[in-house]
Amino acid sequence: MADIIKLLPDHVANQIAAGEVVQRPASVVKELLENAIDAGATSIKLIVKDAGKTLIQIIDDGKGMSDTDARMSFERHATSKITTADDLFNLNTKGFRGEALASIAAVAHVDLKTRPSGVEVGSHIEIEGSTINLQEVCACPKGTSLSVKNLFFNIPARRNFLKSNNVELRHIIDEFQRVALAHPAISFTMYHNEGELFRLHSGNLKQRIVAIFGGKTNEKLVPVQEETDILTIGGFVVKPEFSKKTRGEQFFFVNDRFIKSPYLNHAVTAAFDGLLPDKARASYFLYLKVDPRTIDINIHPTKTEIKFDDEHALYAMLRSTIKHSLGQFSITPVLDFNRDSELDTPYEYKNKGVVTPKIEVDRTFNPFENVGVPKRGVQRSEFEKVDTSGWEKMYEGIQQSHGIASTITIEKEVSTPDMFESGMNDSEEDFAFAKANKNPDAQQSLEATTYQLTNKYIVSTIKSGMVVIDQHRAHQRVLYEEFLRNITVKESVSQQLLFPLTLTYTTTEFELLEELKEGLENTGFLFGTISGDIVEICGIPTSITESQVPVVIEQLLSDLENEVPDSSFSQTDTLAKSMAKSLAIRGGEYLNARSREHLVNSLFACKEPNRSPLGKTTFITMTGEELERKFK
Ligand code: ADP
Ligand code: MG
């Protein structure tokens, strides 16, 4: 048999390697930024066109490359950063594999200009798909400028696989921010399609965080500081009251390298235990310094995961340090982080909602006996009770003559077990509703057709038996179809705000909002000036209240980031879904007869009443036969 094994040609091997290193424009940005930092740059400029699909250029003022190095840098496994295998365990640089430039040059048009200091002329190299087309001397500033054009020009399948410009740009911004946060002393600028997105001056860490995430961030940060033999911790956590519901800014840097670590994230979350509002996530910018010999960053090709020798110790230290910081800045009620856990809120009370106090009315009380004169020895609370009931009693006649049971109204508003207490008031409302609808029969029919169970389900009769509706999911469906209609038909009603709302957003959020602006306007939002990181909102949809606006938008941004929408269809859909999700009435909310009836009717007027926009069952039915079977 003839020999059939042969070595792959270099350009093929490089393309294969590129698959691992270069997944999308953002990977190129990351590699090039890291090279500039390893080269000792003090100022780095990133220029991007069409979300990196047309151009990614990085200009640095670092040490540059000699003529030979410039040529060598595109060879695979060509690196100036390690020489022996031992160096791998003592890394102080970002790069070490010597693969990035070779991989990038295999799948793009690359143009390099570089000059070390002390040399008069620089080198200029052009490479297309691993083939060198040009190498000449050139006049250029000290440092390196590397342009990557038409990424994946020779691998159409990968090029087509790229997401929309918005999505790719978001990934680029993420990488840019991570690198910029890790190196506050270096100044960075970033441009996209001629527009300046970031201008970050050299400064300290706090200034860098504020420059990226907006002026208001300053007051939200709590410093974290600890030094032990095996670990130095620095950085900031965000005060619990500013934590975000669905997405937090969570940044870990280990030896100035951004990493993801669910384990350490858990340590931080544990330190916030009991301080975060329900479902909120801690935000943090934490910088760990460890001996490079105690970590292994080689386990993941994109190097965002890391393995520590002594994870447990790090966990414990991180947790107690953050607890201590939160305590020192009087954020936790107890200053000592070694506090007695006996003193903590019992677990089972932690997640319970606040119980609204009930007003108790003593109907047998006679106000003319000792009104407001506490007897000697009578406790204060008793005195107050006496006073209140007396007050109620005095108005009893008036209530009756007007037919308005105000005592019962109070009870209804504060109570949860419905049926009993609120029945009377419901029919009051139903009656008004019926009159407004000029339907004299409505009163009877309404009273009889819907009930609320455990403040979560609406029960109603249908011809064949009964139907049980999940109120939250049903309302989601109703709102979803309504928003979808408004966005596509573009005929929503807006309420003007007397004082425009100003909200601050990060650059990423801002980019997203710009994309969504039209869709949001179609639902009834009116935008005023949008500048810097501030968005002014002058009008809102009639279906929401002013205080709900930040929540709705935050939910929306988070949904969009997670769903990674590609087409305008899915964006409209996400917008409608997300708004429906944040605005739908929740389980646990009392609904009066009129609202119940309205919800049931609206649900069954929907195009797809049986599923919530998230695909969950909205109602179940039970037929008369099924009931009969149960009674057998
Ligand atoms: P690595 O960073 O893993 O060494 P790269 O392929 O990213 O591998 O780069 C190869 C080499 O090219 C680097 O080791 C470095 O010597 C040189 N190099 C790359 N970018 C720059 C730059 N911006 N300035 C100076 N030298 C650079
Ligand atoms: Mg590199």
Side-chain angles (χ1 to χ4, degrees), residues 35-36 39 60 64-65 73 78-81 95-101 144:
N35 279 349
D60 70 51
M65 284 178 265
S73 67
T79 179
S80 56
K81 299 170 194 174
F96 55 86
R97 296 159 165 257
E99 270 181 330
L101 291 190
T144 302

Side-chain angles (χ1 to χ4, degrees), residues 558-624:
S558 127
D559 285 353
L560 274 170
E561 282 200 352
N562 296 334
E563 293 226 342
V564 196
D566 270 322
S567 62
S568 65
F569 163 73
S570 74
Q571 205 168 82
T572 310
D573 193 63
T574 311
L575 179 63
K577 251 186 217 159
S578 169
M579 287 185 53
K581 211 158 74 185
S582 30
L583 293 169
I585 43 155
R586 315 255 148 206
E589 265 176 65
Y590 165 76
L591 296 181
N592 63 29
R594 184 175 144 197
S595 319
R596 299 198 291 262
E597 190 78 5
H598 187 66
L599 180 57
V600 175
N601 290 337
S602 317
L603 176 67
F604 290 107
C606 281
K607 283 192 190 136
E608 287 177 56
N610 38 357
R611 299 257 152 224
S612 81
L614 304 173
K616 304 244 172 77
T617 307
T618 47
F619 66 86
I620 51 159
T621 54
M622 198 177 264
T623 61

Side-chain angles (χ1 to χ4, degrees), residues 259-271:
I259 59 134
K260 289 183 185 148
S261 169
Y263 184 70
L264 294 184
N265 175 58
H266 193 274
V268 180
T269 312

Side-chain angles (χ1 to χ4, degrees), residues 262-398:
Y263 184 70
L264 294 184
N265 175 58
H266 193 274
V268 180
T269 312
F272 273 85
D273 187 32
L275 295 173
L276 291 171
D278 194 24
K279 287 203 187 125
R281 300 203 310 195
S283 297
Y284 50 82
F285 307 87
L286 291 169
Y287 295 72
L288 315 186
K289 292 250 154 80
V290 294
D291 184 335
R293 279 168 302 205
T294 66
I295 51 172
D296 183 2
I297 42 175
N298 209 356
I299 56 167
H300 197 272
T302 51
K303 294 169 275 173
T304 51
E305 275 163 31
I306 212 168
K307 209 175 143 356
F308 298 97
D309 278 359
D310 194 353
E311 267 192 343
H312 294 298
L314 293 195
Y315 183 103
M317 264 179 238
L318 194 58
R319 177 163 169 247
S320 66
T321 303
I322 293 170
K323 256 195 163 174
H324 186 62
S325 298
L326 290 170
Q328 274 208 324
F329 286 81
S330 317
I331 284 141
T332 54
V334 186
L335 283 175
D336 182 7
F337 64 97
N338 290 319
R339 64 183 179 186
D340 185 356
S341 60
E342 293 284 294
L343 298 175
D344 286 352
T345 317
Y347 184 72
E348 58 273 26
Y349 284 110
K350 241 177 231 167
N351 299 322
K352 286 204 173 157
V354 178
V355 180
T356 321
K358 283 191 189 175
I359 295 171
E360 280 177 25
V361 179
D362 179 3
R363 288 176 196 281
T364 60
F365 178 71
N366 178 350
F368 300 105
E369 277 176 26
N370 75 7
V371 174
V373 185
K375 282 189 221 132
R376 206 180 270 274
V378 169
Q379 282 178 354
R380 191 176 149 73
S381 61
E382 264 183 68
F383 166 63
E384 279 167 0
K385 191 170 156 191
V386 163
D387 200 23
T388 315
S389 55
W391 179 87
E392 292 288 348
K393 192 81 179 174
M394 281 190 215
Y395 285 85
E396 212 167 70
I398 302 168

Side-chain angles (χ1 to χ4, degrees), residues 85-93 291-293:
D86 272 354
D87 294 345
L88 264 181
F89 301 101
N90 201 4
L91 272 179
N92 287 308
T93 53
D291 184 335
R293 279 168 302 205

